[in-house]
Amino acid sequence: MANIQQVARAAGVSTATVSRYFAGLSVRSHDAIAHAVALLDYTPSPVARSLKSGRNHAIGVIVPDITNPFFAALVKGIESEARGSGFELILGNSDEDAAIESSLVAAISQRVDGMIIAPVVEDDAAVAGFIAGGSPAVFVDRDIVAGVVGETAARQTVDRVLVDNAAGAALAVEHLAGLGHRAIAVISGPLDSTPGRARHAGFLDEMARLGLPMSADLVRISDFREEGGYTSMAELVDLPERPTAVFVANNLMAIGALRLLNDRQIPVPGSVSVIGFDDLSFAPLLNPPLSVIRRPDVLQGATAARLLLRRLLAKPGEEIPPERLSLPVELVIRGSTSRPNPEGTR
Amino acid sequence: MANIQQVARAAGVSTATVSRYFAGLSVRSHDAIAHAVALLDYTPSPVARSLKSGRNHAIGVIVPDITNPFFAALVKGIESEARGSGFELILGNSDEDAAIESSLVAAISQRVDGMIIAPVVEDDAAVAGFIAGGSPAVFVDRDIVAGVVGETAARQTVDRVLVDNAAGAALAVEHLAGLGHRAIAVISGPLDSTPGRARHAGFLDEMARLGLPMSADLVRISDFREEGGYTSMAELVDLPERPTAVFVANNLMAIGALRLLNDRQIPVPGSVSVIGFDDLSFAPLLNPPLSVIRRPDVLQGATAARLLLRRLLAKPGEEIPPERLSLPVELVIRGSTSRPNPEGTR
DNA sequence: GCGCGGACTGTAATCGATAACAGTGAGGTT
DNA sequence: AACCTCACTGTTATCGATTACAGTCCGCGC
């Protein structure tokens, strides 16, 4: 690849003039430079530009699992928003592992101008360091909790794009209770994650508000993975008093739960109603079609990207107060939830 | 972030010595430097290193649609392979659009050392330029065809990781024919893509080999998207002589096709058998469970990454002959395929 | 004591671009 | 004619690291 010196020589000007040409300033030798550029197929080196300017024109995106359709949709939303602005995406997949997440953040923090992070846990020193270093970040599905490393810095320059997890969980409980269910179980995600905790709390609060009984047996804390949903559901159906309905706190665990019910040939919703959190494009085609709490996934990514780009494109000195957005969720009723079967639970 | 000068000053040595310290050479002031580095929290700037060395320690990954579970799995495979080697991933989503793909390649080609591309079409000048510039690339699902821009350069330095598309299509036909189907339709992808063409040809060849009748009505050329599968299936079921089985050449179109059948309440496989290409984690849970031709998706990504890294890590001057790997596919029989219903097609 | 080799070190050029600064020359004004 | 202004241009330092080259210093052998 040609460099600016070769172009300058070919056009008979200095490198400064070529640089100005690319900055859009008016230049006497405009045509000669254009000709030399075309001839040599020259593009300014982004690396050299980065070094000089301190800006990378790249944003880091860290997700726990790109094969989870929700995160894929999130990345798609981010991508479409970033592309137009000339920012590249550097992607990291943390595999739901906090240590990997940490090392990913450390590895890319000098190559990006900002990050969008859907964190595994809420306390990550590498993320805190990135933010403390003055770089902007946007948290997806992670609120800022007190007493955590880097909390102070985060309150100032970190935007958050959340969904109303608690309301979603409440919506699910309300729906099931409205159908007549009383013995409602929950398969929750890790409680040290924002969505895990918020959905769990939303579930319990709504159960209490409706005066529904809640036994410890009916509460399973799992891991947001398909296998976790599978084994948790196995534990629930083996209970002496099997629940008539289950709220599963994310999409992968819901798939795992359905798979267990399928394997055991337990009719859904005949014997157990199931409702998940996070929609799936193929949810209507499942057997039975899965009722879910849906959130705007692509939009959540696009919003995160927009908040980040707003900071990155701000004029120096411009103060931008951190945003905390909460996107609405909705109940999508399909075939996996129905009235409880009066003939008993088996 | 501190720079090498500050570290050098703090340790009382020159920048060259600090640089050598990081290169692992033996240095008298080892401890003083280590101390200064820890104190200042210094990490060498990857941008400055890139500029000096000409290597970016990044690989570009371009996929048509990250929300397609196959590509998500592919990226996961690439990611896990790249992480260990200290290479970052720069991701681009082309949205199945050749022009976007082109501009993505152009935008990142100076920021990466190599690319893994799952191309939309087979002829892309930007990709050809990247390769002609001496950078290695790996094609996923795209063979090198004669007469295309950059063909010559590509033959020398481009590895390919394919799957045996034709064999997969033949396997599907064989399965359906074995069940007794004769009127078998196909919903193919774009014929200017390698998998589109190879699966299409594999289908037609096997139909001919088995002596099964083939009418133009039964051949639909679509676009590998869910909506395309939906509309193509609508055309097929409206045919006066409705086929008893359909081979759908990718996963998203298969979902679309199932959705149409679902919407029209056409029993599967009672009225029409359906078999897809590319498995889905939730395929067993669909209604009915979808029979598919399966390929090793994560492995395909990991393999592509390994081939690319092998070139990137090679000693200068080392000649590496280009590989063309074809991974095996397998038939997964589930509930969406059965014997044709003798009572007719409706 | 002198010279030599080996181990380490500092100086300075370099990668490719940008931008502050100091010209340069054409055109207009007095 | 002298001078000023304006629009553009070239020279050069700079971003942060690496590395060729040219030392420096120490211990050892003669």
Side-chain angles (χ1 to χ4, degrees):
Chain A
M1 177 59 79
N3 64 22
I4 199 173
Q5 325 243 20
Q6 299 173 289
V7 174
R9 204 173 314 135
V13 295
S14 75
T15 62
T17 303
V18 178
S19 178
R20 281 188 273 255
Y21 166 87
F22 276 98
L25 302 178
S26 84
V27 148
R28 245 185 308 261
S29 43
H30 183 282
D31 295 353
I33 295 178
H35 184 245
V37 166
L39 190 73
L40 297 170
D41 191 24
Y42 167 77
T43 324
S45 152
V47 176
R49 281 185 161 174
S50 282
L51 178 61
K52 190 87 228 301
S53 68
R55 336 214 79 246
N56 296 101
H57 283 278
I59 70 187
V61 177
I62 312 274
V63 296
D65 179 9
I66 189 68
T67 63
N68 178 328
F70 165 69
F71 292 115
L74 189 83
V75 170
K76 189 183 191 130
I78 295 171
E79 223 270 343
S80 64
E81 199 68 27
R83 173 165 43 241
S85 318
F87 280 77
E88 307 306 330
L89 245 52
I90 298 195
L91 180 76
N93 192 96
S94 67
D95 244 335
E96 307 268 6
D97 181 321
I100 294 179
E101 179 178 300
S102 234
S103 70
L104 281 174
V105 170
I108 68 173
S109 56
Q110 291 203 73
R111 308 173 141 269
V112 299
D113 300 320
M115 285 200 210
I116 296 176
I117 312 177
V120 176
V121 293
E122 288 169 330
D123 198 352
D124 186 319
V127 175
F130 180 75
I131 295 161
S135 300
V138 177
F139 288 160
V140 168
D141 268 11
R142 177 223 201 272
D143 212 345
I144 294 172
V145 295
V148 140
V149 178
E151 182 215 341
T152 321
R155 283 200 185 281
Q156 291 164 24
T157 57
V158 173
D159 300 301
R160 286 153 285 167
V161 185
L162 313 170
V163 294
D164 199 339
N165 287 305
L171 223 47
V173 172
E174 212 172 280
H175 168 57
L176 294 171
L179 289 169
H181 292 275
R182 288 182 55 82
I184 305 177
V186 62
I187 301 178
S188 280
L191 298 186
D192 55 359
S193 73
T194 299
R197 202 174 47 239
R199 291 171 200 172
H200 191 72
F203 173 86
L204 293 180
D205 289 356
E206 187 68 9
M207 288 293 280
R209 201 179 69 79
L210 296 177
L212 293 173
M214 198 67 241
S215 90
D217 280 354
L218 297 183
V219 175
R220 301 286 142 182
I221 309 298
S222 186
D223 58 1
F224 280 153
R225 299 171 124 117
E226 191 176 333
E227 277 315 298
Y230 189 92
T231 56
S232 296
M233 185 56 96
E235 292 162 15
L236 288 176
V237 298
D238 285 341
L239 246 34
E241 306 248 318
R242 185 190 285 178
T244 63
V246 183
F247 166 57
V248 188
N250 92 330
N251 52 6
L252 295 188
M253 293 196 301
I255 289 179
L258 279 187
R259 196 155 51 76
L260 181 279
L261 294 169
N262 215 52
D263 286 358
R264 297 276 190 96
Q265 306 208 3
I266 296 169
V268 180
S271 178
V272 189
S273 284
V274 175
I275 184 168
F277 200 114
D278 276 349
D279 202 5
L280 297 159
S281 66
F282 49 85
L285 296 173
L286 291 175
N287 179 27
L290 184 65
S291 297
V292 297
I293 304 300
R294 175 198 286 162
R295 65 161 132 184
D297 45 16
V298 174
L299 177 67
Q300 193 173 5
T303 304
R306 198 149 42 222
L307 288 177
L308 185 59
L309 290 171
R310 187 187 56 146
R311 270 181 205 286
L312 295 179
L313 300 174
K315 293 169 196 63
E318 191 177 344
E319 282 288 321
I320 300 179
E323 294 259 16
R324 179 185 184 280
L325 298 179
S326 185
L327 305 180
V329 299
E330 63 181 314
L331 171 65
V332 180
I333 301 172
R334 297 198 183 100
S336 66
T337 47
S338 72
R339 313 186 66 81
N341 191 336
E343 287 151 43
T345 58
R346 313 222 164 198
Chain B
M1 178 58 76
N3 64 23
I4 199 173
Q5 324 244 18
Q6 298 173 289
V7 174
R9 203 173 314 135
V13 296
S14 74
T15 61
T17 303
V18 178
S19 178
R20 283 189 270 255
Y21 166 88
F22 275 97
L25 302 178
S26 86
V27 148
R28 256 197 287 273
S29 43
H30 183 282
D31 294 354
I33 296 178
H35 185 245
V37 166
L39 190 73
L40 297 169
D41 190 26
Y42 168 75
T43 323
S45 153
V47 176
R49 281 186 161 175
S50 282
L51 179 59
K52 190 85 229 298
S53 68
R55 337 213 78 245
N56 297 101
H57 283 279
I59 69 188
V61 177
I62 312 274
V63 297
D65 179 8
I66 189 68
T67 64
N68 178 329
F70 165 69
F71 291 115
L74 189 84
V75 170
K76 189 185 191 127
I78 295 171
E79 223 270 344
S80 65
E81 199 66 28
R83 172 163 47 240
S85 318
F87 279 77
E88 307 306 331
L89 246 52
I90 297 194
L91 180 77
N93 192 94
S94 67
D95 245 336
E96 307 268 7
D97 182 321
I100 295 179
E101 179 178 300
S102 232
S103 71
L104 282 173
V105 170
I108 68 173
S109 57
Q110 291 203 71
R111 307 173 143 269
V112 300
D113 301 320
M115 285 200 210
I116 296 175
I117 312 176
V120 176
V121 293
E122 289 170 329
D123 198 353
D124 186 319
V127 174
F130 180 74
I131 295 161
S135 300
V138 177
F139 288 159
V140 169
D141 269 9
R142 177 227 204 267
D143 211 344
I144 295 173
V145 294
V148 140
V149 178
E151 181 215 341
T152 321
R155 285 201 183 278
Q156 291 163 25
T157 56
V158 173
D159 299 302
R160 286 154 284 168
V161 186
L162 314 169
V163 294
D164 199 339
N165 286 306
L171 223 46
V173 171
E174 212 172 282
H175 169 56
L176 294 171
L179 288 169
H181 293 275
R182 289 183 54 83
I184 306 177
V186 61
I187 301 180
S188 280
L191 298 187
D192 55 358
S193 73
T194 298
R197 201 175 45 240
R199 290 171 200 171
H200 191 70
F203 174 86
L204 293 180
D205 288 355
E206 187 67 9
M207 288 292 281
R209 201 180 68 79
L210 296 178
L212 293 173
M214 198 67 241
S215 89
D217 280 351
L218 297 183
V219 175
R220 300 286 142 182
I221 308 298
S222 186
D223 58 2
F224 280 153
R225 300 172 124 117
E226 192 176 332
E227 279 314 300
Y230 189 91
T231 56
S232 296
M233 186 56 99
E235 293 162 15
L236 288 177
V237 299
D238 285 343
L239 245 35
E241 306 249 318
R242 185 191 285 179
T244 63
V246 183
F247 166 58
V248 188
N250 91 330
N251 51 7
L252 295 188
M253 293 196 301
I255 290 179
L258 280 187
R259 196 154 53 74
L260 181 279
L261 294 169
N262 215 51
D263 286 358
R264 297 274 189 98
Q265 305 208 7
I266 296 171
V268 179
S271 177
V272 189
S273 283
V274 175
I275 183 166
F277 200 115
D278 274 349
D279 202 5
L280 296 158
S281 68
F282 49 84
L285 297 171
L286 291 175
N287 180 25
L290 183 64
S291 298
V292 297
I293 302 300
R294 176 198 283 161
R295 66 161 132 184
D297 44 16
V298 174
L299 177 67
Q300 194 174 4
T303 304
R306 199 149 40 225
L307 288 177
L308 185 59
L309 290 170
R310 188 185 56 147
R311 269 180 207 286
L312 295 179
L313 299 174
K315 292 169 196 65
E318 190 177 343
E319 282 287 324
I320 300 178
E323 293 260 13
R324 179 184 186 280
L325 298 178
S326 185
L327 305 179
V329 298
E330 63 181 314
L331 170 66
V332 181
I333 301 172
R334 298 199 182 100
S336 66
T337 46
S338 72
R339 312 186 65 82
N341 191 335
E343 286 151 43
T345 58
R346 313 226 164 197

